[in-house]
Amino acid sequence: MAEHFYPLKVAEIVAETDEANSIRFEMPAELRDAFRFRAGQHLTLRTDIGGEEVRRNYSLCVAPDDGQWLVTVKRVAGGVFSNWVGDALKPGDTIDVMPPHGSFTTAFDPASKRRYVAFAGGSGITPVISLIRTSLSCEPGSRFTLFYGNRESNSVIFLEALAALKDRYMGRFELYHFLSDEEGEVDLFNGMLDRATCDAAIGALVDEPDKVDAWFICGPGPMMDAAEAALTDRYVAHDRIHIERFIAGKPSAAAAARQAVLQQEAAGLSISVTLDGRTRKVQFDGRNILDSARDAGLPAPFACKAGVCATCRAKVLRGKVDMAVHYGLSDEEVAAGYILTCQSVPCGEGVAVDYDA
Ligand code: FES
């Protein structure tokens, strides 16, 4: 689909911690359908800061049935958007927002009795708390365990909200905090969620790990790698592990060099691009399919341009493409022919991609 941004008014800025603020949007009745979302999904925000267009993706931290639209933005050192939110954004201001998207989710069913476990670190809690809230309220027979890593208790986003959920859903929600810069009585909880701690937490705190229906991982890169390795080494099936990345890792020099060669070889090839029901031929510009489409005047959607957010997802209808990275796609999506166009280079003439698929 072409990118459709809607100007949404900021209803409230909620200070979650010294570093993190949630933005609550006013949602006009006529946009509620377009902004319906699934737990774990995110919004793409767009605004002008200092004369430059800036786009960022932020996860919704509420459940779909809450009737609210809130995203949480944690300050990043030198971060243009996150510091603008913390310093300048105020209620009554307007931001362009793209309807929710993302595949860090699962199908909730009130009749299911499922077992969920999540590893979250820092602001990685935002999509995870949406999943927790949804499973606890929509699936009365399901249980959720959260391993949540932070530096210190002051920096824990949703500290009170999580404690309240634990009280309210006693026996169905287990919450374990891991703090790297504070020391408590239990050794296991002192330190980061590194590989050894992830292994120990699963071993000690998850009864019957084999019966966990879905594992969710979101947080800093090393924590995500550690949690994923702990699960794959236990032979947890890939389709039960859901990973949401906020930041892409840097490609290796070899991968970057390989991509540069492919881009050069593909320069000038013609690609057929379908967007909003119309198909057009565009010329590959030597960078990626997304930029080629946009240079040709097609409003193909994007946010991160780093292979993480999947805003630029399209399906290959014909031909072969090479993707530099595809963090934002599940294995199933890749197998079904989906690509991240910001990362894709056509391998030969006649490639056709469809943003509507
Ligand atoms: S724009 Fe984010 S993955 Fe392509």
Side-chain angles (χ1 to χ4, degrees):
M1 296 284 273
E3 57 179 11
H4 290 295
F5 281 97
Y6 298 86
L8 293 185
K9 213 178 231 183
V10 174
E12 186 185 8
I13 308 278
V14 184
E16 303 287 357
T17 66
D18 289 350
E19 294 180 335
N21 296 285
S22 292
I23 308 170
R24 185 166 65 79
F25 291 105
E26 272 181 36
M27 191 56 68
E30 66 275 16
L31 290 184
R32 285 180 173 246
D33 272 351
F35 276 81
R36 217 177 273 285
F37 65 95
R38 297 175 67 190
Q41 288 194 308
H42 49 253
L43 300 176
T44 302
L45 314 186
R46 179 180 73 180
T47 194
D48 268 18
I49 302 175
E52 294 255 332
E53 181 190 287
V54 186
R55 298 177 177 214
R56 293 288 184 275
N57 276 351
Y58 291 104
S59 298
L60 288 147
C61 57
V62 278
D65 290 346
D66 289 347
Q68 300 204 60
W69 283 262
L70 264 100
V71 295
T72 306
V73 180
K74 186 178 175 186
R75 284 182 193 266
V76 176
V80 175
F81 196 95
S82 63
N83 287 302
W84 173 78
V85 169
D87 297 333
L89 190 66
K90 48 187 191 320
D93 289 350
T94 295
I95 304 182
D96 289 338
V97 186
M98 202 187 281
H101 55 101
S103 52
F104 186 61
T105 189
T106 189
F108 291 102
D109 171 5
S112 291
K113 278 189 176 183
R114 301 175 80 203
R115 180 86 177 91
Y116 304 105
V117 179
F119 291 89
S123 57
I125 189 65
T126 38
V128 172
I129 197 170
S130 171
L131 292 158
I132 293 169
R133 287 183 158 129
T134 308
S135 73
L136 295 175
S137 66
C138 295
E139 288 184 350
S142 293
R143 279 172 62 203
F144 209 115
T145 300
L146 170 63
F147 300 127
Y148 186 15
N150 282 281
R151 287 197 314 275
E152 53 191 1
S153 31
N154 280 348
S155 64
V156 177
I157 304 174
F158 305 132
L159 184 67
E160 284 169 21
L162 289 165
L165 285 170
K166 193 176 164 201
D167 286 348
R168 179 166 174 198
Y169 294 101
M170 205 108 59
R172 292 185 50 217
F173 178 41
E174 288 136 34
L175 167 63
Y176 301 100
H177 288 286
F178 296 76
L179 298 174
S180 58
D181 294 359
E182 274 178 34
E183 215 163 275
E185 282 173 11
V186 182
D187 264 356
L188 174 61
F189 304 132
N190 297 329
M192 294 187 302
L193 279 167
D194 57 13
R195 174 61 201 272
T197 306
C198 290
D199 280 333
I202 296 168
L205 302 170
V206 182
D207 52 304
E208 302 188 284
D210 304 350
K211 301 225 167 108
V212 173
D213 297 282
W215 301 81
F216 297 100
I217 303 173
C218 186
M223 186 222 85
M224 293 202 290
D225 294 344
E228 185 181 14
L231 296 177
T232 47
D233 281 2
R234 284 174 173 267
Y235 303 107
V236 173
H238 237 69
D239 59 357
R240 294 189 181 209
I241 305 174
H242 305 265
I243 299 178
E244 178 80 329
R245 284 182 194 274
F246 290 157
I247 303 171
K250 244 188 155 47
S252 66
R258 180 176 163 273
Q259 185 75 356
V261 171
L262 290 171
Q263 286 168 321
Q264 225 174 20
E265 285 173 1
L269 290 177
S270 108
I271 319 160
S272 143
V273 178
T274 303
L275 185 71
D276 272 353
R278 292 184 56 208
T279 301
R280 268 193 50 192
K281 285 244 185 294
V282 307
Q283 221 178 38
F284 186 70
D285 69 352
R287 290 177 292 167
N288 57 64
I289 292 177
L290 171 74
D291 285 333
S292 307
R294 290 189 66 89
D295 285 353
L298 295 172
F302 75 93
C304 73
K305 286 201 181 179
V308 175
C309 70
T311 312
C312 65
R313 191 183 90 144
K315 191 170 189 180
V316 176
L317 303 180
R318 199 173 57 237
K320 196 170 165 285
V321 308
D322 190 276
M323 267 191 287
V325 294
H326 54 81
Y327 302 117
L329 292 179
S330 65
D331 291 348
E332 292 72 39
E333 288 173 295
V334 174
Y338 286 99
I339 57 165
L340 300 175
T341 52
C342 73
Q343 299 295 311
S344 295
V345 176
C347 306
E349 263 309 332
V351 164
V353 303
D354 183 355
Y355 280 94
D356 303 336

